[in-house]
């Protein structure tokens, strides 16, 4: 998008990586690079069940990943520490 890179960019990238690690495929896939980039800008990530209904991931873990994938960077975690804390709590139930 031509904006300066900020921590929110890394948080988005890690959200993409987590989504793919959990489901086995990226959340956005077009027929070419331009379509894929467009999906990153405009589409919401699909529910995890779309790709892996058998996963049965806890809703709070899904919420952490989806917050990292918010289109509006101001709606993502403020920094990696906040993201790590949310992820730790979602996985272990401890802060």
């Amino acid at each position: 998008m031509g904006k300066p890179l900020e921590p929110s960019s890394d948080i988005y990238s890690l959200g993409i990586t987590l989504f793919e690690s959990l489901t086995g495929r990226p959340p956005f896939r077009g027929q070419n690079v331009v379509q894929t980039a467009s999906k990153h800008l405009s589409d919401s990530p699909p529910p995890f069940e779309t790709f892996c209904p058998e996963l049965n991931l806890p809703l709070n873990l899904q919420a952490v990943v989806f917050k990292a994938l918010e289109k509006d960077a101001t709606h993502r975690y403020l920094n990696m520490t906040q993201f790590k804390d949310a992820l730790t709590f979602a996985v272990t139930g401890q802060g």
Side-chain angles (χ1 to χ4, degrees):
M1 292 178 61
K3 295 180 182 178
L5 293 179
E6 297 182 356
S8 61
S9 303
D10 292 333
I11 290 167
Y12 182 85
S13 296
L14 186 53
I16 294 291
T17 301
L18 280 171
F19 188 100
E20 187 167 358
S21 296
L22 292 167
T23 65
R25 74 169 272 177
F28 307 110
R29 186 183 291 168
Q31 293 192 8
N32 56 50
V33 175
V34 173
Q35 283 184 354
T36 300
S38 177
K39 289 177 179 290
H40 276 279
L41 296 173
S42 61
D43 291 4
S44 296
F48 285 92
E49 302 83 42
T50 301
F51 302 129
C52 293
E54 71 281 359
L55 267 183
N56 199 26
L57 290 174
L59 293 178
N60 56 346
L61 176 57
Q62 294 182 53
V64 169
V65 175
F66 289 139
K67 181 170 180 164
L69 296 178
E70 283 285 341
K71 299 300 176 203
D72 183 342
T74 63
H75 294 160
R76 295 181 204 144
Y77 297 98
L78 298 176
N79 53 53
M80 281 294 188
T81 300
Q82 193 181 58
F83 188 20
K84 175 196 66 94
D85 291 346
L87 191 56
T88 299
F89 186 78
V91 173
T92 67
Q94 300 176 11

